[in-house]
């Protein structure tokens, strides 16, 4: 299958989401604002969804609908799903991860399933703590590492660490938090601006 | 900078609320202990315990050990302190040693619920959900009134996708806590997930009940909208049931739109206009 590129904004928000709720499993959706050129998927953003009861249906369905609508209003599309398990020793996709990823794959051919590997998330890790899956013959299989791109990984990793150290992860709003207080913005515009400031000398396309 | 009394009050409030804001507790607690320990009187011991547990949560083993050593000096034979020793070993992932400590407590005092719960937490940390569930069920046979345990069990069942048993646990919790809107709402979510017309109707009823108990529970409001919409769209319902559920869904949609208009996020109030049902 094609190449997948992960932008600074997408990676940093996923990372901060997992760091904000270290005792919970968290999940979210991966978005793209560019149309796939030659089979390459560029994940330009993500929407953090839940940090509790990931496998219960109502809120997940609600979130998928709301993100879908927002995407159609902002020329983006849902291209994948990410999850970080509470139990860091096991980074394999759970049944609910596979289910949601299947649903996304129904609408988008090159959909990806991304698991964050909690055991590899220390600040000086040399490789990105992610495991990616793609759909081949109706099954989710591990993606060839060489088709996953994170431009200037060390700089992105440093931006994520910096934001974590300065407590910026507390600015992140996931869909769960939005339901607790609907004045909070699950599209995270404020956080996106902060990331853009730190990332722009690093990454051509955010 | 806060003064000693203010810091003390904060820690007390967090103890009473049972909040797990460990980073804050470590911040305030560390300062309080190092600068004002002598002024705390007998409170100092409960504060050492509180800060120690928070320190473990933040991987601050240095601070945890300091607190633990003070507690050991003061209460050398205490089961309560032994449990804290066990918790530190858990944090260091030395689970076998931790279990030995808890087993020693239980040999001495078989009714020690704290030690039993720690053993179950170890199983959970090791990813042994099946065993944790078994042990927790056994525990609840003896200690049937332990709310925290029932809730933990419902969470474990949800993680294992055993929604029927999760529902049973939540039913226990609703019986003993009839005014708790969160239990009603969680029960409704489980029923919705189980699916099928009967479960959807139950879920709608319990989303409504949650709203009666707390009319600002957004999850319950959305849940009511979604369950009523699905029921109305089902080919198996009578015309009357369909009509009623369309009414419920419309009411919920209205409430949701009002809530969003009041909030700053105007973008979301248009979303429901795009959703339709027959």
């Amino acid at each position: 299958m094609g190449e997948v590129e992960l932008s600074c904004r997408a990676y940093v928000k996923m990372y901060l989401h997992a760091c904000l709720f270290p005792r919970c499993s968290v999940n979210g959706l991966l978005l793209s604002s560019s149309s796939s050129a030659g089979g390459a998927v560029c994940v330009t953003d993500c929407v953090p969804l839940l940090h509790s009861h990931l496998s219960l249906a109502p809120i997940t369905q609600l979130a998928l609908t709301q993100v879908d609508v927002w995407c159609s209003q902002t020329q983006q599309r849902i291209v994948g799903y990410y999850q970080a398990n509470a139990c860091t020793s096991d980074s394999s996709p759970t049944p609910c991860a596979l289910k949601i990823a299947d649903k996304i794959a129904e609408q988008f051919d090159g959909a990806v399933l991304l698991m964050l590997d909690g055991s590899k998330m220390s600040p000086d890790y040399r490789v990105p703590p992610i495991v990616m899956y793609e759909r081949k013959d109706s099954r989710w299989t591990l993606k060839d590492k060489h088709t996953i791109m994170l431009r200037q990984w060390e700089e992105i990793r440093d931006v994520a660490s910096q934001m974590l150290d300065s407590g910026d992860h507390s600015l992140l709003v996931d869909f769960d938090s939005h339901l607790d207080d609907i004045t909070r913005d699950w599209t995270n515009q404020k956080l996106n601006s902060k990331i853009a400031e730190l990332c722009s000398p690093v990454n051509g396309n955010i | 900078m806060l003064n000693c009394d203010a810091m003390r009050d904060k820690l007390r409030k967090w103890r009473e609320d049972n909040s797990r804001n460990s980073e804050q507790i470590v911040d305030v607690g560390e300062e309080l202990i190092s600068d004002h320990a002598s002024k705390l009187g007998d409170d100092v011991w409960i504060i050492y315990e509180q800060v120690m547990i928070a320190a473990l949560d933040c991987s601050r083993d240095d601070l945890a050990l300091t607190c633990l050593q003070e507690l050991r000096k003061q209460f050398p034979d205490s089961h309560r302190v032994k449990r804290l020793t066990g918790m530190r070993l858990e944090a260091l992932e030395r689970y076998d040693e931790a279990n030995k400590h808890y087993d020693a407590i239980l040999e001495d005092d078989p009714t020690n619920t704290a030690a039993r719960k720690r053993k179950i937490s170890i199983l959970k940390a090791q990813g042994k959900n099946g065993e944790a569930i078994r042990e927790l069920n056994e525990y609840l046979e003896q200690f049937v009134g332990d709310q925290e345990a029932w809730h933990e069990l419902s969470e474990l069942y949800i993680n294992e996708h055993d929604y029927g048993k999760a529902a049973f646990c939540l039913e226990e919790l609703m019986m003993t806590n009839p005014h708790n809107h969160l239990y009603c709402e969680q029960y409704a979510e489980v029923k919705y997930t189980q699916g099928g017309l009967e479960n959807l109707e139950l879920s709608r009823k319990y989303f409504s009940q949650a709203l009666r108990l707390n009319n600002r529970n957004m999850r319950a409001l959305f849940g009511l909208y979604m369950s009523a919409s699905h029921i109305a769209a089902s080919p198996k319902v009578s015309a009357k049931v369909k009509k009623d559920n369309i009414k419920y869904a419309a009411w919920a949609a209205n409430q949701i739109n009002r809530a969003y208009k009041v909030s700053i996020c105007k973008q979301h109030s248009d979303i429901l206009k795009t959703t339709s049902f027959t």
Side-chain angles (χ1 to χ4, degrees), chain A residues 132-149:
Chain A
M132 233 192 248
Y133 299 79
E134 61 187 358
R135 218 164 146 75
K136 261 190 186 138
D137 309 318
S138 332
R139 290 181 68 229
W140 289 96
T141 50
L142 273 173
K143 209 165 155 57
D144 177 5
K145 286 202 181 91
H146 298 106
T147 60
I148 305 169
M149 291 206 300

Side-chain angles (χ1 to χ4, degrees), chain A residues 27 29 49-50 52-66 81 96 100 175, chain B residues 189 226:
Chain A
N27 67 4
L29 299 172
L49 290 185
L50 307 176
S52 64
H53 301 152
L54 270 59
S55 63
L56 290 182
I59 306 304
T60 302
Q61 280 180 11
L62 174 66
L64 279 167
T65 311
Q66 294 227 356
Y81 170 85
C96 90
I100 300 174
F175 201 77
Chain B
E189 284 194 51
M226 288 164 62

Side-chain angles (χ1 to χ4, degrees), chain A residues 58 61, chain B residues 188-189 191-193 196-197 199-208 219-234 237 241 245-246 248-249 252:
Chain A
Q61 280 180 11
Chain B
E189 284 194 51
K191 285 289 151 194
Y192 184 106
T193 308
L197 191 55
N199 284 324
L200 270 178
E201 290 190 309
L202 263 174
S203 102
R204 194 211 62 229
K205 289 197 176 110
Y206 280 90
F207 279 130
S208 306
R219 285 183 183 78
L221 207 41
F222 274 113
L224 174 58
Y225 171 76
M226 288 164 62
S227 52
S229 305
H230 280 303
I231 296 169
S234 165
V237 299
V241 169
N245 278 281
I246 290 178
Y248 302 141

Side-chain angles (χ1 to χ4, degrees), chain A residues 23 53 57 61 176 178 186, chain B residues 57 155 192-193 219 260 268:
Chain A
R23 299 133 196 156
H53 301 152
Q61 280 180 11
D176 248 341
H178 167 77
W186 55 259
Chain B
D57 220 8
E155 298 278 321
Y192 184 106
T193 308
R219 285 183 183 78
Y260 275 106
H268 298 288

